[in-house]
Amino acid sequence: MSDQNTRTLKENRPKLKSGEAIRPGVLVLFAEEGSAELARVHVGQLETTIGRQADQQVFIEDSSLSRCHAVIAFGPREITLRDLGSHNGTQLNGSRFHGEAKVVPGDVVRCGSTVLMVVPDVAAYKGWPKSALVEPLLGGPVMEQVRRRLDVLATQPVEVLICGESGTGKDVAARYLHTRSGCKGDYVPLNCAAVPEALFEAELFGATKGAFTGAVANRSGLMQAARGGTLFLDEIGELPLSLQPKLLRAVELREVRQVGSNQLQHVDLRLAAATNRDLAQEVECERFRADLYHRLCGAQVQIPPLRARRDDIVIFAERFLAHHQASFQSAPAVCMSAAFVERLLLGAWKGNVRELERMLREALVQATMEQQTCLQVEHLPAISLAGAQGEGEDEEIMRLRRALTTAGGNVSRAAAELGMRRGRVYELLKVHGLVAEDFR
């Protein structure tokens, strides 16, 4: 046992060359009833049994579970889920089924009021969930790779470009980079999309008294304010072409000239930028300067979308619920039902973590109005569902996962299965935050 909330059962599986066991298995994400300690379990058996009988691999004292409820079998080429004639049935990706069904890593299983997820390698969850509660970058194995990359880059004198969809936490990643760098100066953020083009130079470089109408005093810019610290340029892809050469010069030389002044000032700072656009594609379309792109992209960090790290959803939900409930001073404590958690896990989350927080807040308000102490599915506003509901990009993720599972993680075979070129499969892996090796 690696900590009080995690246990891994012994099993005999093939070894990787590095000596690490390949252990596809099951992660127990939530248990509405039973011991809180057992609600954080990962098991990697060839056959993982689930139930409230003490000899089951996943043993939860959940009254809605049958004694021997279901079994997940990990074969050499496929994973199967079998309901063992349970009283309350078994749900796979939100739909009840009978008998046996094929599953792939990322599928959500609900047995009674216990919610589980099939994962490609339980070894990655050693120490989970404690390892996922690292502030400010919450998250399990997928985000652990992001944290490690940021830790390495924090000590390097290189510009960092943070990429990811809106709402994934790019600003949080930039703050983490600043904190880990040990810089003595301040963290100074600037949203490039929020500053009018006419005022951008003055905002970034500063202005002298009388330089333009309304400049009633000398004013330093954000680059001066970030001396010895970190300047974070958010939404850098929104920066107008006319301003990009001026930013390029300042970044290359670390020199700024205030608007209305001929004097150059040296600024020693760290620079990080973020975008939700594909800047390489923007360069090809001549909407972004290639020289500025290559200067800003000294190193790149990709923040994966929430749908590529669904094991993080329960952790975020618990954190948001506790945070927002603190403002409801007179309301009783509110918990989550298993069906509610299951619906969260099956969401498409186009708005990522930001959307999840908004939905949790609205559900909490609705439950409080109804004087309910347990969040139910009906308390949630309508949310788009992923994968099984066939929604565009999410259907793409499911097809990609199934092809990789069938191909045993071999990208060439997966490409043939999908009828696309291998390079396109690699592009999709990057976009969705997946790693081919996880399916071997």
Side-chain angles (χ1 to χ4, degrees), residues 30-264:
F30 180 83
E32 189 176 337
E33 297 182 28
S35 169
E37 290 186 7
L38 292 182
R40 306 297 199 194
V41 178
H42 56 79
V43 292
Q45 296 285 69
L46 289 172
E47 283 199 342
T48 297
T49 55
I50 305 161
R52 61 184 176 89
Q53 189 166 289
D55 61 352
Q56 305 297 290
Q57 273 82 44
V58 177
F59 160 58
I60 305 286
E61 293 179 341
D62 176 353
S63 61
S64 61
L65 278 176
S66 296
R67 292 182 179 277
C68 301
H69 195 106
V71 60
I72 300 179
F74 298 89
R77 295 191 176 276
E78 64 182 22
I79 306 171
T80 57
L81 169 66
R82 188 167 71 254
D83 183 85
L84 300 177
S86 63
H87 179 70
N88 290 319
T90 301
Q91 302 261 119
L92 176 60
N93 293 327
S95 299
R96 185 166 177 172
F97 78 98
H98 300 280
E100 186 173 284
K102 292 182 180 180
V103 297
V104 297
D107 279 349
V108 177
V109 177
R110 177 158 66 91
C111 299
S113 58
T114 297
V115 183
L116 314 93
M117 180 180 290
V118 179
V119 294
D121 183 11
V122 292
Y125 291 88
K126 182 179 180 181
W128 190 92
K130 285 186 177 180
S131 61
L133 300 177
V134 179
E135 292 282 10
L137 276 178
L138 296 175
V142 174
M143 286 305 294
E144 176 61 20
Q145 297 304 311
V146 175
R147 289 192 292 267
R148 289 181 180 178
R149 185 167 179 81
L150 289 170
D151 286 341
V152 171
L153 293 174
T155 59
Q156 305 299 314
V158 61
E159 285 80 20
V160 177
L161 180 64
I162 303 172
C163 304
E165 296 178 6
S166 179
T168 52
K170 297 185 293 294
D171 175 67
V172 177
R175 290 179 184 273
Y176 180 90
L177 180 73
H178 170 72
T179 301
R180 300 292 289 181
S181 70
C183 292
K184 303 297 184 183
D186 294 332
Y187 173 82
V188 180
L190 172 65
N191 188 331
C192 296
V195 180
E197 184 174 350
L199 298 178
F200 185 84
E201 283 187 78
E203 187 74 14
L204 195 59
F205 308 140
T208 61
K209 180 179 179 180
F212 52 84
T213 304
V216 297
N218 292 336
R219 182 168 69 88
S220 296
L222 295 181
M223 289 194 75
Q224 293 98 320
R227 276 194 180 103
T230 301
L231 176 66
F232 174 54
L233 300 176
D234 198 8
E235 302 299 348
I236 190 67
E238 306 296 328
L239 188 66
L241 269 171
S242 60
L243 296 174
Q244 292 178 23
K246 299 173 182 178
L247 177 61
L248 175 63
R249 176 181 174 81
V251 172
E252 284 187 326
L253 302 178
R254 292 297 197 268
E255 289 180 345
V256 299
R257 180 186 287 113
Q258 288 182 307
V259 177
S261 172
N262 292 321
Q263 184 177 357
L264 290 173

Side-chain angles (χ1 to χ4, degrees), residues 346-359:
L346 296 174
W349 302 120
K350 301 294 186 181
N352 293 291
V353 179
R354 186 180 294 126
E355 181 188 4
L356 175 63
E357 181 175 16
R358 179 177 68 83
M359 290 295 188

